[in-house]
C-alpha cells in the first residue's frame, strides 16, 4: 500500500498526542470509527496518548443518547482513551476569549453586527505553510462585480438564491496585483476609473501547503481561500475556531482524520498561527467506499457500528477488519490481535486510495475468529444471542451448550448464524421443509419414510445414546436392508432438523437427545 509519492517509512514518533473528535449526532458510522482506530493504533505504536474530544456544540442533535451510543461503541470495540473526555460545549467561554484576543491582535475583525472574520493576510502568511510568490496568473472577473478595498479586492457574484456572495482577497495574497480593464489597461488601485469595467486580475500566485503523512505534499492557491468566519453574528464560535483552539489546548501533535477535512486543514493552519501555535502534523485517510467508488453509506447496507454488533460480529473482528480498510502489514498477515496491529501499524502503510468495503471478507474474517475462539468463551455470547432471539436457554446445561457450540462453530460466520443453524435444538417440534420432504422422504415410492420406520425401531432400544452407538445402529439397519448411507442419514436429518442441512447427523442426534429424536421420527412418519 505504497503512497503515490513513494514516501519512505515514517520514523518512530515518540510520545505523540492524537485525538478522536466526533460530533455525536446519532449512530456511529464505521468510517468515523475507522479514523478512531487508526489514531488509537498510531498512539499505541508510538507510546503516545489517545484522546477523546466530544464536539457536542450542536445541542439539538448531540443528545445524551447520541453521546451514550458513541461511548458504548468505543467501549465495545476496545478503544480506550488515556485522559478524561473533553466536552467542547463546556469550553465556549475559552473560545470566546480567543476570538476577542484575535480581534485585539488585529488578526480578525467584525463589521457592524456581522460575523467575526479572520483575515488571511499580513502576519498570518507564515512561510512554514504559505509559499513565496510564484508564477504570474490572470483570473477572469468579468462575470461578477469587483470592488477594490483597502485590503485588496472583494469579488462579488450573485448566487442562484439572488444573494450576494463575497470573496475578499488581500493584496498580501496576490503580490503585484493589477486590475486589467476591458480596454486592456492596468490599474493597481485602490479606485477603478469611472465607466471602466474590470476584466481580469493579474498577480503572482502564492500557495498554501502542508506535508500530509498519508497523501504527501498538498497545496492550493492562496487566492482561492476566502477569509475565514470564526464566530457567528451572535458571537458563538464556529467549528473551525473551536476545533483548532481545543487541539492547541490539548497539545495535539498529530491530527489524523478523513480526507474530507483536507480543505479545513488549509484554513486551520492560519488559526494556529493567529494563536501563536505551530500547526500539528496532518494525515488524511481516504474514504471507505462502496462497489461504485462512492462514499459508503447506510444505503449500501450496514454502515453503523451498532448494525454489525446486532448482526453477531465480534468486536475484535470488526476492529481488525476496519484497520485493514486502507492499511496492511508488509507480510500480508490479516488476522491480528489489537496488540499485534499496534506493533505493526505505520502511517507509511496507509493507502492513499479509497478503501472498498468488502463484506464477504468481513464474513470470512469473523468466521475465522469464531473458529479460533475456545468454545467455552463463545458460550456467553451464544446465550446472549439466544435470549435476544427469544429462545429460552436459561435452563440449558452449560457443558451441553459448549458441546453444541463446538459442533456448530466451523459453520458460523456470525453469532446470529448459530441461532439460524440450531434453533431446532431448542423447540419441542419442527416444521418439515416440503422440498426436503419430497426429495428425501417421498422419492422412490416413499423410501425415505420406510427408512424412518426402520430407524425408529433400530434406535429406540439403544442402551447407550451416543454418536458412535447411534451410527452403528443406523448403519446396521441400512446394511441389513440394502439402504445406502445417504438414504439413511438424509431422512434422519429431515425428520429431526426439518431441513436437509446440518452438522454431523450422529453428533446432532446425540445432542438432541433420545426423547426428542424418537418423537420427531414418529411425527415425520405420521406426516407420510
Amino acid at each position: 500500500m505504497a503512497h503515490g509519492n513513494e514516501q519512505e517509512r515514517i520514523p518512530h514518533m515518540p510520545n505523540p498526542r492524537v485525538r478522536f473528535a466526533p460530533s455525536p449526532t446519532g449512530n456511529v458510522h464505521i468510517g468515523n470509527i475507522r479514523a478512531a482506530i487508526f489514531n488509537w493504533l498510531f498512539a499505541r505504536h508510538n507510546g503516545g496518548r489517545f484522546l477523546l474530544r466530544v464536539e457536542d456544540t450542536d445541542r439539538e442533535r448531540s443528545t445524551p443518547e447520541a453521546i451514550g451510543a458513541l461511548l458504548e461503541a468505543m467501549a465495545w470495540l476496545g478503544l480506550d482513551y488515556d485522559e478524561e473526555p473533553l466536552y467542547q460545549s463546556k469550553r465556549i467561554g475559552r473560545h470566546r476569549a480567543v476570538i476577542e484576543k484575535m480581534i485585539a491582535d488585529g488578526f480578525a475583525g467584525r463589521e457592524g453586527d456581522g460575523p467575526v472574520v479572520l483575515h488571511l493576510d499580513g502576519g498570518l502568511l507564515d512561510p512554514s505553510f504559505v509559499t513565496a510568490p510564484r508564477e504570474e496568473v490572470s483570473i477572469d472577473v468579468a462575470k461578477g462585480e469587483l470592488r477594490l478595498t483597502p485590503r485588496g479586492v472583494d469579488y462579488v457574484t450573485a448566487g442562484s438564491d439572488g444573494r450576494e456572495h463575497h470573496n475578499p482577497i488581500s493584496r498580501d495574497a496576490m503580490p503585484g496585483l493589477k486590475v486589467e480593464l476591458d480596454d486592456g489597461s492596468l490599474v493597481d488601485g485602490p479606485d477603478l476609473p469611472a465607466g471602466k469595467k474590470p476584466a481580469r486580475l493579474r498577480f503572482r500566485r502564492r500557495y498554501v501547503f502542508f506535508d500530509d503523512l498519508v497523501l504527501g505534499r498538498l497545496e492550493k492557491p492562496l487566492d482561492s481561500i476566502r477569509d475565514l468566519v470564526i464566530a457567528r453574528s451572535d458571537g458563538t464560535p464556529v467549528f473551525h475556531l473551536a476545533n483548532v483552539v481545543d487541539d492547541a489546548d490539548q497539545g495535539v501533535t498529530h491530527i489524523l482524520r478523513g480526507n474530507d477535512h483536507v480543505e479545513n486543514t488549509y484554513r486551520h493552519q492560519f488559526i494556529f498561527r493567529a494563536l501563536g501555535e505551530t500547526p500539528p502534523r496532518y494525515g488524511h485517510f481516504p474514504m471507505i467506499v462502496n462497489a461504485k467508488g462512492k462514499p459508503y453509506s447506510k444505503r449500501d447496507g450496514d454502515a453503523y457500528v451498532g448494525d454489525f454488533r446486532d448482526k453477531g460480529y465480534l468486536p475484535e473482528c470488526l476492529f481488525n477488519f476496519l484497520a485493514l480498510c486502507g492499511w496492511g502489514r508488509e507480510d500480508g498477515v490479516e488476522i491480528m490481535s489489537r496488540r499485534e496491529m499496534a506493533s505493526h501499524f505505520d502511517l507509511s502503510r496507509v493507502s492513499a486510495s479509497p478503501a472498498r468495503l468488502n463484506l464477504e471478507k468481513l464474513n470470512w474474517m469473523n468466521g475465522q475468529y469464531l473458529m479460533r475462539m475456545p468454545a467455552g468463551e463463545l458460550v456467553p455470547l451464544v446465550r446472549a444471542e439466544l435470549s435476544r432471539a427469544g429462545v429460552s436457554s436459561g435452563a440449558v446445561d452449560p457443558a451441553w451448550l459448549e458441546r453444541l457450540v463446538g459442533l456448530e462453530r466451523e459453520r458460523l460466520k456470525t453469532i446470529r448464524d448459530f441461532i439460524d443453524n440450531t434453533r431446532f435444538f431448542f423447540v419441542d417440534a419442527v416444521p418439515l421443509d416440503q422440498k426436503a420432504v419430497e426429495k428425501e422422504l417421498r422419492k422412490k415410492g416413499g423410501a425415505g419414510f420406510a427408512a424412518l420406520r426402520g430407524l425408529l425401531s433400530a434406535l429406540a432400544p439403544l442402551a447407550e445414546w451416543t454418536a458412535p452407538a447411534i451410527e452403528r445402529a443406523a448403519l446396521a439397519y441400512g446394511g441389513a436392508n440394502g439402504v445406502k448411507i445417504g438414504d439413511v442419514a438424509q431422512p434422519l436429518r429431515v425428520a429431526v432438523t426439518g431441513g436437509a442441512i446440518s452438522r454431523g447427523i450422529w453428533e446432532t442426534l446425540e445432542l438432541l437427545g433420545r426423547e426428542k429424536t424418537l418423537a420427531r421420527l414418529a411425527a415425520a412418519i405420521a406426516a407420510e
Side-chain angles (χ1 to χ4, degrees):
M1 297 184 182
H3 294 174
N5 58 358
E6 298 185 352
Q7 285 179 272
E8 296 180 357
R9 183 179 179 87
I10 296 171
H12 183 75
M13 303 173 185
N15 306 315
R17 291 174 64 83
V18 298
R19 50 68 163 177
F20 175 47
S23 300
T25 55
N27 294 312
V28 184
H29 192 276
I30 54 172
N32 291 338
I33 215 71
R34 193 271 306 257
I37 288 171
F38 280 1
N39 275 275
W40 188 92
L41 291 172
F42 180 81
R44 298 292 175 259
H45 180 82
N46 292 288
R49 309 282 282 178
F50 173 68
L51 312 177
L52 172 63
R53 183 168 74 239
V54 182
E55 299 194 336
D56 59 340
T57 53
D58 185 339
R59 303 312 297 160
E60 291 186 4
R61 301 177 65 200
S62 295
T63 63
E65 292 76 17
I67 294 173
L70 165 69
L71 298 178
E72 183 181 353
M74 293 184 67
W76 183 70
L77 286 167
L79 285 166
D80 57 318
Y81 32 90
D82 299 308
E83 298 175 11
E84 286 298 311
L86 184 149
Y87 289 86
Q88 197 170 72
S89 60
K90 297 180 180 180
R91 291 177 48 80
I92 300 298
R94 165 64 175 158
H95 302 149
R96 291 184 185 227
V98 168
I99 292 166
E100 293 305 318
K101 187 174 187 304
M102 287 184 179
I103 294 173
D105 290 343
F107 293 127
R110 177 192 288 115
E111 290 189 13
D113 296 329
V116 179
V117 176
L118 186 71
H119 300 305
L120 308 188
D121 57 12
L124 293 187
L125 305 189
D126 192 305
S128 66
F129 59 87
V130 178
T131 70
R134 292 187 191 169
E135 74 279 9
E136 185 172 87
V137 297
S138 174
I139 298 180
D140 185 1
V141 294
K143 294 183 179 179
E145 179 186 355
L146 187 70
R147 300 173 185 173
L148 295 185
T149 69
R151 292 184 57 244
V153 300
D154 184 7
Y155 181 48
V156 184
T157 58
S160 58
D161 55 2
R163 300 176 61 183
E164 288 187 347
H165 293 269
H166 294 258
N167 186 27
I169 310 173
S170 74
R171 288 182 179 274
D172 292 340
M174 301 183 296
L177 172 65
K178 294 185 184 299
V179 179
E180 180 181 337
L181 304 178
D182 54 5
D183 62 3
S185 60
L186 298 176
V187 178
D188 54 10
D191 298 316
L192 292 174
K196 299 292 185 180
K197 184 171 179 59
R200 278 169 288 278
L201 298 179
R202 294 187 181 276
F203 58 94
R204 294 180 65 196
R205 176 161 279 166
R206 308 179 77 168
Y207 292 83
V208 183
F209 67 90
F210 62 96
D211 293 312
D212 193 282
L213 293 168
V214 176
L215 304 176
R217 174 79 170 221
L218 297 175
E219 63 178 28
K220 70 176 300 181
L222 176 57
D223 55 277
S224 69
I225 303 178
R226 301 173 63 176
D227 286 352
L228 186 62
V229 172
I230 58 174
R232 302 175 184 88
S233 299
D234 63 4
T236 57
V238 301
F239 156 78
H240 302 286
L241 185 284
N243 183 272
V244 172
V245 170
D246 291 346
D247 280 331
D249 287 355
Q250 289 190 284
V252 173
T253 62
H254 297 75
I255 295 178
L256 309 175
R257 55 191 180 186
N259 65 1
D260 53 326
H261 285 283
V262 165
E263 288 298 314
N264 291 336
T265 297
Y266 289 119
R267 293 162 172 81
H268 289 183
Q269 293 180 108
F270 294 100
I271 304 178
F272 276 107
R273 175 65 185 82
L275 290 172
E277 300 279 354
T278 300
R281 297 295 306 277
Y282 288 95
H284 292 88
F285 312 127
M287 306 291 281
I288 296 177
V289 299
N290 61 18
K292 296 181 180 179
K294 303 294 184 182
Y296 189 86
S297 72
K298 186 63 178 176
R299 292 187 298 271
D300 301 303
D302 296 326
Y304 304 125
V305 172
D307 294 336
F308 293 94
R309 179 184 56 201
D310 294 344
K311 290 286 180 67
Y313 292 95
L314 298 174
E316 299 86 352
C317 173
L318 187 61
F319 188 110
N320 193 163
F321 173 76
L322 291 175
L324 294 178
C325 286
W327 170 78
R329 282 171 51 167
E330 292 181 0
D331 58 10
V333 172
E334 293 190 312
I335 305 294
M336 294 171 278
S337 68
R338 293 184 184 90
R339 182 185 296 273
E340 289 174 306
M341 283 180 266
S343 174
H344 287 272
F345 188 77
D346 183 0
L347 285 176
S348 67
R349 295 285 303 164
V350 175
S351 175
S353 302
R356 197 176 301 275
L357 193 74
N358 185 341
L359 292 178
E360 290 184 2
K361 182 173 182 178
L362 174 60
N363 286 330
W364 167 81
M365 183 176 286
N366 206 64
Q368 293 295 308
Y369 268 88
L370 290 169
M371 281 194 293
R372 298 179 188 198
M373 284 182 70
E377 292 183 14
L378 284 174
V379 167
L381 302 178
V382 163
R383 199 180 288 277
E385 190 65 32
L386 286 167
S387 178
R388 278 193 291 270
V391 177
S392 177
S393 63
V396 172
D397 176 58
W400 178 88
L401 187 56
E402 184 172 339
R403 290 177 60 199
L404 179 58
V405 169
L407 178 65
E408 289 290 330
R409 186 171 48 183
E410 292 185 4
R411 275 211 303 162
L412 303 180
K413 298 301 181 186
T414 71
I415 295 295
R416 181 175 286 187
D417 289 342
F418 181 87
I419 308 302
D420 297 335
N421 295 346
T422 66
R423 190 180 292 272
F424 66 88
F425 279 101
F426 301 94
V427 296
D428 293 329
V430 294
L432 301 181
D433 179 78
Q434 290 306 304
K435 289 185 178 179
V437 169
E438 294 297 327
K439 181 179 179 181
E440 304 297 348
L441 302 185
R442 289 203 170 98
K443 69 178 182 180
K444 299 178 182 178
F449 284 111
L452 291 181
R453 287 191 290 271
L455 288 166
L456 180 58
S457 298
L459 297 179
L462 281 180
E464 179 186 11
W465 193 263
T466 64
I470 295 168
E471 182 179 12
R472 285 193 299 271
L475 294 182
Y477 161 78
N481 292 277
V483 181
K484 296 178 181 179
I485 181 61
D487 293 332
V488 170
Q490 280 302 93
L492 268 174
R493 182 170 280 113
V494 173
V496 300
T497 72
I501 299 175
S502 75
R503 296 298 289 168
I505 186 59
W506 319 121
E507 293 81 4
T508 295
L509 294 185
E510 178 184 345
L511 286 172
L512 187 63
R514 180 198 302 272
E515 183 179 342
K516 279 189 175 181
T517 296
L518 298 181
R520 290 183 188 182
L521 290 178
I525 293 168
E528 183 176 4

